[in-house]
Amino acid sequence: MFCDKLRIGGIACALGVLVLVMPRPSQAALQVDVEQEIPSAQNPERNRAVELARDGDFDEALRILRRLHREMPSDTGVRADLAAALSWAGLDEEAFDLGADLPFAELPAIIAESVARSARNLRYPDFAAGLYRGVIGRDGGRVESQIGFTLALAEGGNVDRALQRLDTLLAFQSEDPDVTLAAGHVYMAAERWLEAALAYRRALDAGADRGQATRNEARALREAGASLLAVERMRAAPEAFPDELHADLLAGEAARWAEWASVVPERPQPQFRFDPADRALTKLDRTMAELSALDSAAAAPSLQRVRADKLVALYQRDRMAELMDEVQIIEEGGGTLRPYAQRLAADAALALGWVDESIRRYRAALAGWPDDPGTTLGLFWALVEARRFSEADQLLASFLEGQPEFFQVEGTGEAVPNPDRLPMAIARHLGWAFAGRLTDAHDGLASLHRQAPMNAELRQELASVLRWRGWPRRADVLYRRTLTVDPERTGARVGRIDAALDMDERARARAIADSLLRTTPGDERVQRAARRVDVTGSWTLSSRYEAGRSTGGERGTRDRALVTRLTSPPVGDRARLFVGSRRTDARFPEGLGVHDRLLAGVQVRSSALALELEGHIAREGELRPGAAARIELRGDHWRFGLSGDSRTTEIPLRAARAAIDGWTVGASVGRRAHEGREWIFEAGYLELQDGNRRPSVRAAIEEQFHRTHAHRLAFRVDAGGSTSSRTDAPYFNPSRFLSGTGTLLWDWTWLERRTRSYSQRLSIGGGAVAQEGFGTRAVASIALNHTWEASDRFEVSYGVSWASRAFDGIRERRVAGQVGLVWRIP
């Protein structure tokens, strides 16, 4: 159909937006034909009817001609006049039915032209072309038939032939408004939009009907992509545009503004980043107001289109909540989002944390846009966010299975890699990492990196996995290499923030975050990273309280411990001041043993060094001031530490009750191979005021043997021993003590949503202790702890434990409960 060739909507075509009909014959033409072919003296009524039709009084003319036709059904002239009048009146079906089999060769040319025009309007272009051809054969100078024949050819699909005839027609009749109008129609059929627009403009200048020429020029400009110019033409003659076409052109202009919302601003400074989107939103809001003022039924489809286009501008502006408000308006109004708009809504829902809704919308988008890479990837990340890792992995596995590894470049025979495969493969490996399969993710990404070492996205995500495995320094090196390839890559710059915070390099993290907030303030990743930097710069209050009851012995019958610390924001980004208290006590048969100290100090941290200096005094009685220091050298794998305390609280509580103080020093070395394996060796020396000297050693190793996104199983082995120089001390003081235990650890994350999580740890341990003079005894323990991270600023933990130990050959059983909190004060 001709409407299909013009690429206009079915509704517009049905309503006759671009019905290419010939103008009705002029009065002069009618007069010539009537005078030459129909002697008025023979039938005055018939002559009067023709005169009425020529003057536009079709009702009376048709009444007379229909009566005459009933009275004289065999009169060819009356039937021809009636068919022509019906065509002039726009009754095309009746005109065609009545006149299709007339002997046109014996009738005036205007009869054939009239019936041909009705045939064209009824989409019978080949029939019309035959009638026009017959007229041209008898009288090649009839412009009406020349124009009609050319248009019929175009409408019948013979566009090339129509263009050839048009060139000849224009050469002789270029100033005829009907010819230039026809030229516009043919150019439209040939999709030569700019030539069509110029032809309609020439027709307007030549005196063609202003409304028809202006409307068609606007349509041609719209098809050429000049929607703004099309609207300008409409505003010059608004009376010529029905509400539906008016609304359609406004919607086309709005679509162009929405497209421009994503262009790079003219001024590259960060503060101007959203200028295109802001201009687009302003224009779109004005357009929506103008559409609302038009006839609601005619403008409703266009208003829905503009609302959908507004989603694009809001998306570019990072105004996701407003985007979802517009989606709600569209859907409540009965509108249906097209696949691209559904994807925007899904992206916005995911950014807002509405995971289930985002999954539903991604699936709806894929239903109309199957296998679209971007939408598939969006659904993948939504499923990952929902912790539906198996489903997410299967989604990408199926996608990759249906994608060829290489494409053949047409005409060259050269094979090039499929650009959709690598991003999907990278995402799938990251999905493994989020599911707890960090080793698989690392190995897979490393293999891909060897194949494409300069791919910035691959480098970035490999660096992220390195950081998650506990290697922030290696990750930072790879992030920096990524930025040498793509200096503005936001993901790598955010990764450097996380790595810097892991290494206690807050100044560097803050500098990168400030830079990103200037350049990409609306990016959710940037906002999260900046918030993490802010959180690390907060006042921090931490407190832990534990209370237990025991059957007696070294622990006493009741024991308590309360440790509280308030830490300041960073001073110069590396140092933090702290104050706090540390109290432990236990009730023994002879009375209460207490450590109760106030403390203050400073922490200094960098990527390679952690130093803490602390001064403390007794809360009551003699102040007994002391000082402690701890220093640690650290890397991605190794840690070396030294510590010392001039008046330590590590002395037994019974010794403290007897006013015995002591000092201690210690050293440690540890290695963290990766997230699943770590070991540490410690050596210490404690000397008490009563002359007792107690060297000790301890070693521990923890090995993870199962990990999913929600569960982690590991086994920890601890072994240690100590000796004491004094054998008659009034506190538990074995001359030689050895211990060995194994503990099964089960970490179970019940809930994890961005900054919120709820997890538990169950530990079940057992082993043996050997004490000089008392042999070897079995020991056992079980503990259950819950941790609730309500936000990145507030954390609460609580738990219970039971243990069975042996001291001086006496078995002691203890039940305890503990609660703690960490509050990073805004």
Side-chain angles (χ1 to χ4, degrees):
M1 292 176 63
F2 192 55
C3 289
D4 295 331
K5 289 186 173 296
L6 293 180
R7 302 194 303 187
I8 62 176
I11 294 176
C13 187
L15 294 177
V17 169
L18 195 59
V19 175
L20 303 183
V21 298
M22 285 291 296
R24 293 191 180 95
S26 66
Q27 292 187 7
L30 284 172
Q31 182 64 41
V32 169
D33 282 311
V34 169
E35 291 176 352
Q36 291 179 354
E37 306 291 344
I38 306 174
S40 59
Q42 294 182 0
N43 195 329
E45 276 194 297
R46 175 181 166 192
N47 185 61
R48 177 171 173 266
V50 173
E51 291 287 346
L52 289 170
R54 186 184 63 199
D55 293 337
D57 188 354
F58 297 115
D59 291 340
E60 180 63 16
L62 291 174
R63 185 187 65 79
I64 296 172
L65 290 172
R66 280 179 172 134
R67 179 176 58 79
L68 291 174
H69 181 55
R70 286 194 301 272
E71 295 173 354
M72 297 179 290
S74 60
D75 190 311
T76 301
V78 171
R79 185 156 66 104
D81 289 346
L82 177 56
L86 287 168
S87 178
W88 303 341
L91 301 174
D92 295 314
E93 290 188 10
E94 191 176 352
F96 185 78
D97 290 342
L98 186 66
D101 58 350
L102 285 169
F104 295 104
E106 303 171 6
L107 296 171
I110 196 170
I111 303 298
E113 290 169 345
S114 298
V115 175
R117 184 184 59 163
S118 291
R120 287 181 47 234
N121 290 345
L122 293 172
R123 305 292 185 260
Y124 303 140
D126 293 340
F127 183 89
L131 294 182
Y132 288 128
R133 189 183 299 111
V135 174
I136 294 170
R138 299 195 306 273
D139 183 1
R142 289 194 66 86
V143 176
E144 291 83 353
S145 288
Q146 293 284 2
I147 293 174
F149 184 44
T150 303
L151 291 175
L153 289 172
E155 292 163 9
N158 296 319
V159 178
D160 291 340
R161 189 176 173 195
L163 287 168
Q164 292 172 359
R165 290 194 58 84
L166 182 63
D167 291 340
T168 302
L169 190 59
L170 287 172
F172 295 98
Q173 301 285 343
S174 61
E175 300 302 320
D176 189 312
D178 291 336
V179 171
T180 50
L181 272 177
H185 299 337
V186 175
Y187 288 138
M188 288 281 276
E191 300 183 1
R192 290 159 60 170
W193 314 118
L194 291 178
E195 290 175 90
L198 289 172
Y200 289 129
R201 172 56 51 174
R202 288 196 299 268
L204 188 63
D205 295 339
D209 177 78
R210 178 176 175 82
Q212 184 183 16
T214 305
R215 285 194 302 273
N216 288 336
E217 181 190 10
R219 292 190 187 103
L221 290 170
R222 177 191 60 187
E223 295 294 337
S227 294
L228 272 66
L229 189 56
V231 170
E232 182 180 310
R233 294 288 188 262
M234 177 191 70
R235 297 198 187 284
E239 70 285 351
F241 290 77
D243 282 351
E244 184 177 5
L245 181 56
H246 186 145
D248 186 64
L249 292 174
L250 287 177
E253 179 192 39
R256 299 289 83 74
W257 281 103
E259 290 174 1
W260 293 339
S262 59
V263 302
V264 177
E266 297 175 358
R267 292 175 288 183
Q269 292 86 348
Q271 62 267 34
F272 303 121
R273 172 175 175 258
F274 292 117
D275 281 1
D278 288 335
R279 285 195 297 268
L281 285 170
T282 299
K283 181 60 181 178
L284 289 166
D285 286 337
R286 289 176 183 170
T287 301
M288 290 169 63
E290 187 172 350
L291 288 171
S292 299
L294 297 174
D295 177 76
S296 58
S302 295
L303 183 58
Q304 291 286 60
R305 284 171 52 198
V306 176
R307 285 196 183 279
D309 288 333
K310 186 177 179 182
L311 302 183
V312 178
L314 289 171
Y315 186 87
Q316 295 297 333
R317 192 59 179 81
D318 290 322
R319 287 157 58 173
M320 300 306 184
E322 293 178 58
L323 188 154
M324 295 307 295
D325 289 341
E326 289 292 333
V327 167
Q328 184 177 3
I329 292 172
I330 292 172
E331 294 180 336
E332 288 180 351
T336 301
L337 296 182
R338 296 177 67 183
Y340 82 90
Q342 277 287 18
R343 178 188 167 183
L344 296 180
D347 286 348
L350 186 59
L352 293 169
W354 306 348
V355 180
D356 291 338
E357 180 169 357
S358 72
I359 292 174
R360 177 178 65 82
R361 291 189 179 278
Y362 280 126
R363 293 197 187 282
L366 282 173
W369 204 354
D371 295 327
D372 173 66
T375 308
T376 302
L377 204 54
L379 176 58
F380 169 81
W381 287 119
L383 291 170
V384 168
E385 186 83 6
R387 299 298 185 261
R388 293 158 59 175
F389 295 104
S390 296
E391 189 176 350
D393 187 61
Q394 183 57 45
L395 175 71
L396 291 195
S398 298
F399 181 91
L400 289 168
E401 186 177 340
Q403 291 287 319
E405 292 192 17
F406 295 92
F407 284 132
Q408 294 292 328
V409 179
E410 187 175 353
T412 66
E414 182 182 356
V416 297
N418 183 346
D420 293 332
R421 286 188 62 88
L422 184 58
M424 294 298 184
I426 293 172
R428 190 181 183 201
H429 285 82
L430 289 176
W432 295 350
F434 285 115
R437 299 166 54 187
L438 285 169
T439 301
D440 292 340
H442 180 196
D443 293 344
L445 288 173
S447 175
L448 290 173
H449 183 241
R450 286 191 291 271
Q451 299 173 43
M454 297 302 291
N455 184 279
E457 182 182 4
L458 185 52
R459 278 186 176 182
Q460 170 186 300
E461 304 308 351
L462 177 58
S464 297
V465 172
L466 292 175
R467 187 177 65 82
W468 297 337
R469 301 203 75 186
W471 306 327
R473 291 157 187 81
R474 288 179 61 186
D476 189 57
V477 169
L478 201 53
Y479 282 133
R480 285 189 279 112
R481 290 178 180 172
T482 302
L483 292 171
T484 60
V485 177
D486 185 358
E488 300 303 318
R489 192 168 190 83
T490 300
R493 297 171 73 188
V494 169
R496 290 205 70 202
I497 294 175
D498 293 327
L501 293 177
D502 291 344
M503 295 184 289
D504 291 309
E505 292 285 347
R506 186 173 181 275
R508 177 153 54 87
R510 186 183 60 191
I512 299 171
D514 289 346
S515 173
L516 284 171
L517 286 173
R518 288 191 299 269
T519 57
T520 54
D523 193 300
E524 183 187 8
R525 297 168 298 174
V526 173
Q527 294 172 353
R528 289 186 188 178
R531 179 176 173 82
R532 285 193 292 272
V533 174
D534 289 342
V535 168
T536 62
S538 304
W539 287 90
T540 302
L541 175 65
S542 62
S543 184
R544 179 181 176 86
Y545 176 73
E546 182 175 351
R549 289 190 176 275
S550 179
T551 56
E554 174 63 14
R555 290 277 191 173
T557 57
R558 178 191 59 76
D559 62 273
R560 299 177 301 181
L562 175 62
V563 179
T564 301
R565 176 179 285 196
L566 177 64
T567 306
S568 75
V571 179
D573 287 309
R574 294 195 183 278
R576 304 184 73 161
L577 305 177
F578 64 87
V579 295
S581 65
R582 183 165 53 240
R583 177 186 173 90
T584 57
D585 62 47
R587 186 169 297 282
F588 301 99
E590 64 272 22
L592 190 68
V594 179
H595 288 306
D596 192 359
R597 291 189 167 264
L598 299 176
L599 52 93
V602 60
Q603 300 172 338
V604 179
R605 292 178 176 270
S606 68
S607 62
L609 174 71
L611 172 67
E612 183 172 295
L613 302 175
E614 175 190 303
H616 49 80
I617 58 173
R619 188 193 299 266
E620 298 177 355
E622 296 182 17
L623 295 179
R624 292 186 293 173
R630 287 172 286 278
I631 186 171
E632 183 179 69
L633 300 175
R634 53 192 182 171
D636 277 352
H637 296 285
W638 291 94
R639 293 174 181 263
F640 303 92
L642 295 172
S643 63
D645 193 338
S646 67
R647 199 175 294 275
T648 181
T649 56
E650 291 182 13
I651 63 174
L653 285 170
R654 272 185 162 155
R657 189 181 182 284
I660 299 173
D661 282 331
W663 59 272
T664 183
V665 294
S668 65
V669 57
R671 189 177 192 276
R672 188 176 189 271
H674 47 72
E675 77 287 350
R677 180 182 302 151
E678 182 176 11
W679 63 260
I680 188 170
F681 178 82
E682 297 175 334
Y685 179 83
L686 170 66
E687 183 168 320
L688 287 79
Q689 285 181 338
D690 62 357
N692 193 11
R693 295 181 295 277
R694 183 181 291 177
S696 63
V697 294
R698 171 181 169 268
I701 184 169
E702 183 175 313
E703 180 77 25
Q704 171 185 294
F705 60 88
H706 178 71
R707 177 72 181 266
T708 68
H709 71 281
H711 300 277
R712 175 181 181 269
L713 292 173
F715 194 75
R716 183 180 181 89
V717 177
D718 289 84
S722 65
T723 61
S724 298
S725 62
R726 183 176 173 182
T727 58
D728 57 346
Y731 45 84
F732 178 67
N733 186 52
S735 58
R736 182 172 297 168
F737 184 84
L738 297 173
S739 70
T741 60
T743 305
L744 176 66
L745 303 173
W746 176 23
D747 295 320
W748 179 10
T749 301
W750 290 3
L751 169 70
E752 189 171 13
R753 284 290 186 274
R754 298 188 177 180
T755 60
R756 296 183 296 123
S757 69
Y758 187 70
S759 60
Q760 72 169 16
R761 165 170 279 197
L762 176 65
S763 57
I764 302 173
V769 296
Q771 182 180 339
E772 183 76 20
F774 294 97
T776 301
R777 298 294 179 93
V779 295
S781 66
I782 183 170
L784 178 64
N785 292 279
H786 286 186
T787 300
W788 174 44
E789 293 184 29
S791 70
D792 51 7
R793 290 188 177 274
F794 190 77
E795 174 185 323
V796 174
S797 61
Y798 53 88
V800 294
S801 63
W802 173 89
S804 175
R805 297 286 189 267
F807 301 97
D808 291 339
I810 301 173
R811 182 161 298 282
E812 177 182 334
R813 295 178 179 83
R814 177 175 180 265
V815 177
Q818 59 87 16
V819 62
L821 69 85
V822 176
W823 181 23
R824 298 174 181 89
I825 305 169

